[in-house]
Amino acid sequence: MTVFVVGQTLVACYFLLWVLPYHGGTLVELGLLVLFALLYMWIAVGFWTAVLGFVLRLVGGDRYSLLKRYEGEALEATPLARTAIIMPVYHEPVYWTLSGLKAVYRDLERSGHLDQFEFHILSDSRDPNVWLEEQATWYRLCQELGAEGRLFYRRRRVNLNFKSGNVADFLRRWGRRYRYMVVLDADSLLSADTIVRMVQLMEREPNVGILQTAPSLINGESLFARVQQFSNRLYSALFATGLAAIQMGDAAFWGHNAIIRIKPFMAHCGLRKLRGFGLFRGPIMSHDFVEAAYMGRAGYEVWLEPGLSNSFEESPPTLSDELSRDNRWSRGNLQHLWILLFGRRLRLAHRMALLNGVMAYMASPLWLGFLILTTVEAVQMTVASIDYFPEGHQGLFPLWPEWRPEWALGLALSTLSLLFIPKFLAILDAVIHGTSRQFGGVVRLFVSVLVEIVVSVLLAPVRMIAHSQYVLGALLNVSLTWAGQNRTQETSWREALVTQFPGMLVAAGWSAFAWSLDPMFFLWSLPVAIPLLLAAPTSVLLSKVSAGQALRKLGMLVIPEERESVQVLDDARAARSDSRNASMLTAVEEAVVRPRLNRLHQALARDVRLAKREELLVPLVEHCGTAGPDSLSRSELSQLFRDRQSLAELHERAWQAPIDSFWGRRIAILSRKGRKRRTRSA
């Protein structure tokens, strides 16, 4: 693999040297050469990973994978160990998220293996309307599923160290109860069969510390989400197979849809705060790659197993949401530079995984730098007089600039081939393995890939500009607000224009300058400039659910899970489509006026009220009881609804309030809703 990547990069660099007018004889050209080598090598790694995956699938799979070790044996006979299924949440759509967890619970119940599993909802939510709804929904699920003593809810009052701190808090309190934990994200779904096989593989392989599945994207409605899930589902078969074969027991951990051996994880994967400067000081934001590296350092293996199917997650519905997520992720990935450089006794494979995470975002400013240096080179060759004795060139003989357009064309085509050949290999792989019909048939599959290529070409320069901004902001340590993910809202024209205007302005200015400089350079700039100029309409169009559904009706951009039923997905969709849980009251208002919910929240609240808290809470109860919760800040509401006595007093005041008061009107709404339900049931 290394020989292919390095050798191919050296050949490409040799061609670039002969394409450049001074053959690397100037500082600008040396800069171009270095940036080109870094970018080309990174692309070549992906290319050869896909080729390896294609070859391995052609010969029946990787014989060294964990599942292959037990082919022909009855994995089902392996006893299960006590396992926690944990779902850290932070300001997620509550009913939607916990309905997914309900589907996983139901699937395990049907499998007959539920007794070995317990579920934990680990909340870091700070908004009272969110965490009160979490508590209420958790309680309803416990009653509906008969899951008392098996489905638990805990909310941290102090939010430290992001998701990794949330999981660490769970492990300190309850980790010793379990041998393994399966980590889910808010949008994760795992089938019971996959979860059971993960536990059985861990039981068979005591030296494996983390076993990671390769999640498939699902439930895409917008055109953007459908393109993302189609490309993930089609191409990941090659890339995941190749990556697993390359990494073997030194794989990466992606933070969710994975199973972890708890004892070594607790002993070796604690994350100390970084001791550097700026971005490289404080808690580690992107914890997963680092935890995998620490698990490997402790002598345990980390495996990616593509054969573990029915592992799902969801894509952001719009380009704007993806870029907002990338703004957060870029900071965590860039922090890996510090661990890469100063982490001790880390395995080479894990250092390379950290470097790959860094390059996922650093590639954009490197590409932007390459374009800037190319523009400088064009200016020097067009405007400035030819320098026959450039920097570093000495002697009696001048260095004559040469142009080889045919070599430049060949180099460009070879670079594009690294990007596009894996996509067509994926089509061939689907045809060979008879799965093309699950993507709509060979013709529709081919057209879908062409659509995906067009969208990728349009989005690549947009992502380049955005990621370059994020990297610069991260290195300058600009503050960032964290929030839950949007899952439904389409992008408005106003939002798209505001978000994409800087890139559109840069593209227009660059193209105008290129035209004034040289028509050939202008044509060379168009593959980058046109997508940037079209960024706003592209963003709006891709966010449209109607556009995504129109292509689906034509049988394009479909995935196998949309053509064949998967029980856990069907259960999740059915639960999430249930509209009976819609309420006209906020979670805070329901916590006050509904007797059963008020008693629930009282049971989960603090029962100790010291003198200082008394002074704080008494006036808050008065304000909320008179003017309603909108008269208080989020922090004040949190103080109030964490106190048992305050909840009881608010409930009593609300039910004694006049009919025309704030709480009187809320109780009237509640009463009308109750009468409607009784009428419908009658």
Side-chain angles (χ1 to χ4, degrees):
M1 175 78 172
T2 303
V3 172
F4 287 124
V5 170
V6 175
Q8 189 175 24
T9 303
L10 289 175
V11 171
C13 288
Y14 173 80
F15 270 77
L16 179 65
L17 280 175
W18 283 101
V19 167
L20 294 172
Y22 291 108
H23 313 314
T26 68
L27 292 178
V28 171
E29 291 187 352
L30 285 176
L32 283 170
L33 182 65
V34 170
L35 293 177
F36 176 82
L38 292 172
L39 292 169
Y40 194 93
M41 186 177 296
W42 190 59
I43 297 172
V45 168
F47 171 79
W48 287 109
T49 299
V51 170
L52 177 60
F54 175 78
V55 172
L56 287 174
R57 285 176 57 81
L58 200 59
V59 298
D62 181 10
R63 61 180 178 177
Y64 296 108
S65 72
L66 293 184
L67 281 176
K68 282 287 185 179
R69 295 179 189 180
Y70 298 103
E71 264 192 342
E73 294 187 31
L75 255 187
E76 293 78 7
T78 305
L80 301 180
R82 195 173 181 84
T83 302
I85 297 178
I86 67 171
M87 177 180 279
V89 294
Y90 176 74
H91 289 173
E92 297 289 346
V94 177
Y95 185 73
W96 183 93
T97 298
L98 297 190
S99 293
L101 190 64
K102 173 185 172 182
V104 176
Y105 187 102
R106 288 288 197 201
D107 211 35
L108 275 170
E109 190 175 44
R110 279 192 300 268
S111 74
H113 297 291
L114 185 62
D115 288 345
Q116 294 298 323
F117 297 91
E118 291 180 352
F119 293 74
H120 292 262
I121 303 161
L122 310 176
S123 174
D124 263 347
S125 300
R126 314 258 50 89
D127 186 341
N129 271 308
V130 175
W131 58 262
L132 286 169
E133 186 183 355
E134 289 171 354
Q135 291 181 173
T137 306
W138 159 73
Y139 180 65
R140 278 201 304 271
L141 284 181
C142 286
Q143 291 185 310
E144 183 180 346
L145 298 170
E148 293 87 351
R150 191 179 301 279
L151 174 58
F152 304 97
Y153 174 87
R154 186 274 288 131
R155 187 180 77 88
R156 282 200 301 172
R157 291 172 182 169
V158 180
N159 186 346
L160 293 176
N161 299 336
F162 311 108
K163 179 181 174 181
S164 63
N166 195 357
V167 174
D169 179 79
F170 161 77
L171 291 175
R172 282 191 294 268
R173 295 172 185 268
W174 301 289
R176 289 172 179 82
R177 287 170 51 92
Y178 310 100
R179 186 176 299 173
Y180 308 112
M181 65 177 177
V182 175
V183 186
L184 302 180
D185 260 3
D187 58 0
S188 294
L189 288 171
L190 280 169
S191 72
D193 180 62
T194 300
I195 293 174
V196 169
R197 280 198 293 168
M198 289 164 69
V199 176
Q200 290 169 335
L201 284 171
M202 295 292 278
E203 285 288 275
R204 289 291 189 99
E205 296 287 336
N207 203 43
V208 175
I210 301 175
L211 176 58
Q212 174 71 63
T213 66
S216 300
L217 296 180
I218 54 164
N219 292 339
E221 297 292 337
S222 67
L223 179 56
F224 178 83
R226 294 196 61 76
V227 169
Q228 296 297 100
Q229 76 175 18
F230 170 79
S231 61
N232 163 270
R233 190 65 176 83
L234 179 63
Y235 307 146
S236 66
L238 303 189
F239 284 100
T241 301
L243 187 62
I246 293 168
Q247 294 177 330
M248 297 189 71
D250 291 321
F253 167 47
W254 298 328
H256 58 89
N257 291 46
I259 187 169
I260 297 173
R261 194 178 300 273
I262 287 180
K263 188 175 181 179
F265 189 84
M266 292 177 66
H268 304 291
C269 296
L271 301 181
R272 294 182 178 180
K273 292 184 178 180
L274 299 180
R275 299 179 180 179
F277 55 90
L279 175 69
F280 306 109
R281 186 174 186 84
I284 295 174
M285 290 179 278
S286 185
H287 58 93
D288 35 23
F289 278 30
V290 182
E291 289 163 345
Y294 288 177
M295 188 70 84
R297 183 172 65 182
Y300 287 85
E301 297 176 354
V302 180
W303 280 85
L304 167 64
E305 182 47 72
L308 290 169
S309 59
N310 290 340
S311 172
F312 307 106
E313 61 176 330
E314 296 193 5
S315 165
T318 69
L319 175 62
S320 297
D321 291 299
E322 183 195 71
L323 294 179
S324 295
R325 184 194 65 182
D326 286 348
N327 197 4
R328 302 192 301 269
W329 284 8
S330 64
R331 293 166 179 267
N333 283 29
L334 288 175
Q335 280 186 328
H336 293 167
L337 274 172
W338 189 268
I339 300 163
L340 176 67
L341 295 174
F342 301 108
R344 292 180 295 177
R345 296 185 295 109
L346 301 182
R347 294 181 180 179
L348 177 61
H350 288 300
R351 290 188 188 274
M352 296 305 296
L354 292 171
L355 178 60
N356 187 60
V358 172
M359 279 298 294
Y361 295 98
M362 280 300 299
S364 289
L366 292 178
W367 182 18
L368 182 60
F370 183 82
L371 294 176
I372 292 172
L373 289 184
T374 304
T375 304
V376 172
E377 178 81 350
V379 170
Q380 288 181 343
M381 296 304 301
T382 306
V383 178
S385 58
I386 297 177
D387 186 0
Y388 295 98
F389 297 92
E391 304 100 321
H393 182 77
Q394 298 177 352
L396 299 176
F397 299 99
L399 181 61
W400 298 93
E402 299 176 89
W403 290 267
R404 289 186 171 87
E406 68 282 359
W407 285 42
L409 180 61
L411 185 60
L413 291 176
S414 73
T415 305
L416 291 176
S417 69
L418 296 184
L419 296 172
F420 296 132
I421 285 178
K423 298 178 186 290
F424 294 104
L425 283 179
I427 297 176
L428 182 58
D429 177 82
V431 172
I432 292 172
H433 292 92
T435 59
S436 59
R437 63 182 180 276
Q438 297 176 342
F439 292 93
V442 177
V443 174
R444 288 188 177 93
L445 174 59
F446 183 79
V447 174
S448 297
V449 168
L450 294 182
V451 170
E452 189 275 331
I453 288 174
V454 171
V455 172
S456 298
V457 169
L458 288 173
L459 293 183
V462 178
R463 287 174 172 142
M464 175 194 69
I465 294 294
H467 289 178
S468 298
Q469 292 174 335
Y470 301 157
V471 169
L472 180 61
L475 295 177
L476 295 177
N477 205 27
V478 177
S479 61
L480 180 67
T481 300
W482 294 68
Q485 180 177 300
N486 162 48
R487 303 191 186 277
T488 56
Q489 187 175 355
E490 295 183 352
T491 302
S492 66
W493 276 99
R494 182 178 182 278
E495 179 188 355
L497 288 169
V498 169
T499 304
Q500 305 299 338
F501 182 75
M504 296 168 68
L505 189 63
V506 169
W510 186 44
S511 292
F513 176 72
W515 176 259
S516 66
L517 196 65
D518 180 56
M520 287 300 296
F521 184 61
F522 169 75
L523 294 176
W524 181 88
S525 73
L526 291 182
V528 174
I530 289 177
L532 288 173
L533 290 170
L534 297 176
T538 299
S539 180
V540 172
L541 175 62
L542 290 177
S543 74
K544 297 295 184 183
V545 172
S546 58
Q549 294 309 306
L551 286 180
R552 180 177 179 176
K553 289 178 181 177
L554 293 173
M556 291 187 289
L557 298 178
V558 297
I559 59 174
E561 287 75 17
E562 293 174 328
R563 301 175 69 87
E564 297 178 2
S565 176
V566 179
Q567 188 64 57
V568 70
L569 297 185
D570 294 341
D571 287 351
R573 292 187 187 114
R576 288 165 177 171
S577 64
D578 188 352
S579 60
R580 291 176 298 172
N581 291 276
S583 175
M584 298 178 67
L585 303 182
T586 67
V588 166
E589 292 165 355
E590 290 203 329
V592 173
V593 300
R594 286 187 179 274
R596 183 176 295 181
L597 284 182
N598 187 263
R599 290 195 298 270
L600 167 68
H601 297 311
Q602 284 189 51
L604 297 174
R606 281 189 298 210
D607 194 25
V608 178
R609 189 191 268 194
L610 302 177
K612 288 186 177 180
R613 288 186 57 77
E614 182 86 21
E615 295 176 7
L616 170 68
L617 292 173
V618 168
L620 294 182
V621 171
E622 179 68 29
H623 282 297
C624 189
T626 304
D630 290 342
S631 63
L632 303 178
S633 68
R634 194 170 82 175
S635 175
E636 290 171 333
L637 283 173
S638 292
Q639 293 285 341
L640 201 60
F641 283 83
R642 286 203 303 262
D643 180 69
R644 183 174 300 178
Q645 184 177 337
S646 299
L647 279 162
E649 291 174 0
L650 281 171
H651 180 68
E652 185 176 351
R653 291 173 67 104
W655 280 91
Q656 293 176 352
I659 295 176
D660 59 347
S661 67
F662 175 87
W663 291 112
R665 292 191 295 270
R666 294 302 179 272
I667 291 174
I669 292 172
L670 195 66
S671 300
R672 286 196 299 271
K673 187 176 180 182
R675 285 196 297 271
K676 288 180 181 178
R677 283 183 176 176
R678 287 194 295 272
T679 302
R680 284 197 298 268
S681 62

